[in-house]
């Protein structure tokens, strides 16, 4: 162990953040206090947790508190905690040295808008640096509970910091901020008190504000803050918010607690607070965020889900994901149980009866909350656009909740003018036509592609609404959903579609007798097209779907749709064989033409119809150039014929 003071350079990205703190956060300076108090509170939580298995860590000092001390003379504000502290290694790892994963993302997400950017600070785990918003020098001294060696870290935020081993009696961390001249407002105790009340009232440890009284002019030598000229008062309630009765809690208190537990900077969209006292005793305070955190969609990152677990008011675990199903992983908040052992481990929680009960209650409550919010369309849209695709997973993940989750789903639809997902299955059912037996949907990469699909032609003609599914997981979801409220869901491109049973079908057509006639009339063409396409299609048949396009591809009811195939193929997954059926539009002139042309030309048209149908499904052609050449050949042929006709007609 060397006591040598060493000086090191900040990594470039850290320097960049520091500069930013100093120069562009002046409109929201007070956040520094919230961040440092939040860190202090986390540190005490950690101590209390680690002490569960090693009581020695308390070092005989169980006084858990946070102090904010202001010294006008020295122009400093000091934030002190009796938490876990940091070892030398931890200081280098955590404090302004190594660019942590959040650092780069923070920089990438900056908008230049001060208000928005200041909100990013806490979210990206760069809260400590906010000390430099108001300070031109920061001195941090810390001793990890149970260790002898203490560390002093100092920096002016200009690119360098120093580290040195020192002695420190008290366990925990002390941060001295040497305030910039223009930040002297924070030397006013009243100002600090207001900020603490505003942002940190929910902190469950007492926060004391200590003010050096200025009227003392005796020359008493300073003795470890024990001098008489101090005014000390507690400024927060220091009771865990969720233990209080909901009718005693203001919305603002709930909101600021949300920001603390979720490390979030948005407002919660909604929350539920339940104190359950039955066979088991537990409290749920669960929040629905407005917006997903920046790293929400990233694979295996720490904040991918979960709530904070407390056992009898003692913090035990962050990101406890076992209290809610995966499809509700956007929920944040606290679970506090009286029935779990304090020394519970993540492994122990995985297969635990108490956890299972709490989880089932929490799931029920959250689904009920969503149902409640769905009555407010605008609010629900906010939720849906943030977390809709995640909620959808519930259809697959929890079959027993299928109907409930399905009722919460929203889809884009051909009945709406825009691509927004606003239509519920209930609303769709209410608008179904007389005689309509299924809820129809189309899947495509985009809304525009979907509504232009040839498969929709007959639906448009018949005025039948079709749900438009464009999210990557949609097909997977509907394949598990299968039906809603006893009405089957059916893709527009599956099976031998027949909408004739609908009440609005033309009177003069007799559906029963028509089919055989059509079949007879087209028998030769169908056979010729099939034999020229060979194994590329399963079957060729005349379509009842198409009114404009010459052709489309359809699959069997149980088969995987084209979009799902594409997604899986691109992801390098194996896709089950699913040769499509080609349907031809008997009313299209180019199809009618097939009846009267030579076999070799028919082969070309057949291939063109197949390629076109694939293209309109959004598929990639194996040889686009061949398609283009064929198209041009056939058009050339038509053009020549036209000239020929005109010449014979003597034009
Ligand atoms: P975050 O709190 O999001 O992790 P911060 O920049 O606020 O990011 O803090 C960085 C890390 O420094 C914390 O995760 C913690 O490990 C450590 N730290 C900060 N303040 C304290 C403190 N008062 N006591 C112990 N550790 C601390
Ligand atoms: Mg922090």
């Amino acid at each position: 162990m060397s006591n040598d003071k060493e000086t090191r350079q900040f990594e470039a990205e850290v320097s960049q953040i520091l500069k930013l703190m100093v120069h562009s956060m002046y409109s929201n300076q007070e956040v520094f206090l919230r961040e440092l108090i939040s860190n202090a509170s986390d540190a005490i939580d950690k101590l209390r947790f680690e002490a569960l298995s090693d009581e020695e860590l308390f070092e005989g000092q169980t006084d858990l508190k946070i102090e904010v001390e202001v010294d006008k003379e020295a122009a400093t504000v000091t934030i002190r905690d009796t938490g876990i502290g940091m070892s030398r290694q931890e200081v280098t790892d955590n404090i302004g040295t190594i660019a942590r994963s959040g650092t780069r993302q923070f920089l990438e997400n900056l908008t230049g808008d001060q208000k928005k950017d200041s909100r990013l600070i806490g979210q990206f785990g760069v809260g400590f640096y906010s000390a430099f918003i108001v300070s031109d020098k920061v001195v941090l001294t810390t001793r990890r509970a149970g260790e002898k060696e203490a560390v002093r870290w100092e920096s002016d935020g200009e690119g360098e910091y120093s580290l040195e081993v020192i002695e420190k009696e008290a366990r925990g961390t002390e941060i001295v901020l040497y305030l910039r001249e223009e930040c002297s407002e924070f030397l006013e105790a009243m100002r600090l008190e207001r900020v603490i009340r505003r942002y940190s009232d929910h902190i469950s440890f007492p926060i004391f504000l200590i003010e050096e009284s200025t009227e003392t002019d005796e020359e008493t030598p300073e003795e470890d803050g024990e001098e008489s000229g101090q005014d000390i008062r507690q400024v927060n309630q220091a009771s865990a918010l969720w233990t209080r009765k909901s009718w005693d809690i203001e919305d603002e208190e709930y909101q600021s607690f949300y920001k603390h537990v979720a490390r979030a900077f948005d407002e919660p969209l909604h929350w539920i607070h339940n104190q359950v006292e039955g066979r088991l005793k537990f409290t749920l305070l669960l929040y629905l965020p407005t917006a997903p955190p920046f790293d929400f969609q990233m694979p295996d990152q720490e904040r991918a889900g979960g709530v904070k677990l407390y056992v009898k008011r003692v913090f035990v675990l962050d990101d406890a994901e076992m209290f809610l199903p995966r499809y509700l992983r956007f929920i944040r908040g606290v679970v506090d149980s009286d029935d779990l052992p304090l020394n519970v481990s993540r492994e122990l929680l995985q297969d635990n009866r108490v956890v299972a009960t709490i989880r089932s209650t929490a799931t029920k409550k959250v689904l009920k909350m969503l149902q409640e919010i769905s009555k407010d369309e605008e609010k629900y849209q906010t939720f849906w656009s943030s977390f809709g695709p995640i909620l959808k997973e519930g259809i697959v993940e929890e079959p027993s909740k299928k109907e409930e989750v399905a009722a919460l789903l929203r889809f884009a639809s051909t009945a709406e003018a825009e691509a927004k997902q606003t239509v519920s299955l209930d609303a769709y059912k209410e608008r179904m036509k007389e005689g309509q037996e299924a809820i129809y949907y189309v899947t495509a990469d985009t809304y525009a592609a979907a509504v232009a699909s040839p498969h929709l032609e007959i639906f448009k003609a018949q005025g039948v609404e079709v749900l438009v599914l464009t999210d990557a997981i949609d097909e997977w979801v509907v394949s598990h959903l299968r039906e809603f409220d006893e009405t089957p869901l059916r893709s527009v491109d599956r099976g031998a579609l027949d909408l004739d049973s609908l009440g609005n079908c033309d009177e003069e057509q007799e559906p029963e007798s028509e089919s055989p006639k059509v079949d007879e009339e087209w028998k030769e063409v169908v056979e010729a097209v099939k034999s020229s396409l060979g194994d590329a299609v399963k079957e060729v048949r005349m379509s009842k779907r198409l009114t404009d396009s010459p052709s489309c591809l359809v699959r069997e009811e149980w088969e995987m749709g084209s979009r799902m195939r594409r997604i899986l193929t691109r992801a390098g997954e194996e896709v089950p064989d699913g040769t499509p059926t080609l349907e031809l539009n008997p009313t299209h002139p180019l199809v009618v033409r097939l009846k009267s042309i030579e076999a070799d030309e028919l082969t070309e048209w057949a291939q063109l119809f197949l390629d076109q149908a694939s293209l309109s499904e959004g598929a990639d052609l194996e040889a686009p150039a061949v398609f283009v050449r064929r198209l041009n050949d056939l058009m050339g042929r038509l053009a020549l014929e036209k000239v020929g006709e005109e010449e014979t007609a003597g034009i």
Side-chain angles (χ1 to χ4, degrees), residues 157-432:
E158 295 281 347
E160 273 184 2
Y161 66 93
S162 69
L163 260 184
E164 119 190 68
V165 171
I166 54 154
E167 301 221 332
K168 185 173 183 291
E169 172 78 25
R171 163 199 77 224
T173 303
E174 176 178 288
I175 300 169
V176 184
L177 309 175
Y178 291 83
L179 296 193
R180 282 166 213 294
E181 225 173 280
E182 67 272 22
C183 298
S184 55
E185 63 186 281
F186 296 107
L187 292 173
E188 298 300 331
M190 284 296 287
R191 174 86 171 94
L192 292 175
E193 186 171 341
R194 271 206 309 278
V195 178
I196 296 170
R197 280 190 197 283
R198 175 147 176 224
Y199 294 112
S200 310
D201 198 38
H202 56 77
I203 296 284
S204 45
F205 306 104
I207 303 172
F208 294 101
L209 188 58
I210 306 175
E211 197 181 0
E212 303 293 324
S213 9
T214 39
E215 65 251 44
T216 49
D217 42 9
E218 323 123 62
E219 295 279 311
T220 24
E222 291 196 10
E223 251 186 300
D224 263 343
E226 289 284 292
E227 66 207 293
S228 56
Q230 281 189 339
D231 174 24
I232 305 180
R233 61 186 183 280
Q234 183 174 337
V235 282
N236 66 333
Q237 301 204 30
S239 61
L241 185 82
W242 63 92
T243 61
R244 291 161 50 195
K245 296 294 168 208
S246 56
W247 54 83
D248 270 341
I249 306 176
E250 305 279 339
D251 282 0
E252 287 76 34
E253 295 180 85
Y254 277 123
Q255 283 157 347
S256 78
F257 183 66
Y258 163 73
K259 290 173 193 181
H260 174 70
V261 282
R263 294 160 184 262
F265 284 72
D266 55 343
E267 294 298 330
L269 195 60
H270 210 84
W271 59 85
I272 43 176
H273 184 187
N274 294 104
Q275 288 155 342
V276 180
E277 291 193 36
R279 209 163 35 81
L280 297 180
K281 196 167 171 223
F282 60 91
T283 299
L284 301 173
L285 175 50
L286 302 177
Y287 289 95
L288 178 62
T290 302
F294 79 100
D295 54 359
F296 196 60
Q297 295 294 5
M298 287 183 208
D300 41 69
Q301 44 74 38
E302 46 192 304
R303 288 176 201 172
V307 294
K308 274 186 194 250
L309 171 65
Y310 285 74
V311 172
K312 301 189 189 84
R313 265 64 62 208
V314 176
F315 168 78
V316 169
L317 203 63
D318 253 326
D319 305 318
E321 74 290 338
M322 59 296 284
F323 289 95
L324 282 167
R326 285 276 299 156
Y327 67 94
L328 299 179
R329 63 185 178 277
F330 44 81
I331 297 291
R332 292 287 176 272
V334 167
V335 169
D336 190 341
S337 161
D338 275 16
D339 303 286
L340 289 167
L342 269 166
N343 59 351
V344 76
S345 67
R346 205 170 265 277
E347 291 66 46
L348 222 139
L349 290 169
Q350 289 311 338
D351 199 15
N352 180 292
R353 192 183 49 86
V354 175
V355 174
T357 308
I358 299 177
R359 175 185 167 120
S360 144
T361 305
T363 306
K364 253 184 253 158
K365 300 266 182 211
V366 171
L367 290 178
K368 206 167 130 226
M369 164 176 77
L370 292 176
Q371 214 173 1
E372 213 38 54
I373 303 177
S374 72
K375 292 174 191 157
D376 178 342
E377 235 170 82
E378 199 180 321
K379 194 165 174 180
Y380 198 68
Q381 267 304 303
T382 306
F383 157 70
W384 186 257
S385 56
S386 292
F387 304 113
I390 293 167
L391 183 70
K392 284 179 189 171
E393 295 170 13
I395 300 288
V396 183
E397 190 186 334
E398 198 158 33
S400 66
K401 292 274 190 298
K402 211 152 86 170
E403 284 284 314
E404 247 172 288
V405 176
L408 293 168
L409 302 184
R410 294 294 179 271
F411 300 95
S413 157
T414 55
E416 302 291 321
E418 10 162 36
K420 259 177 133 177
Q421 301 179 354
T422 55
V423 177
S424 69
L425 293 171
D426 277 318
Y428 181 99
K429 279 197 71 169
E430 260 166 46
R431 296 197 285 240
M432 271 170 52

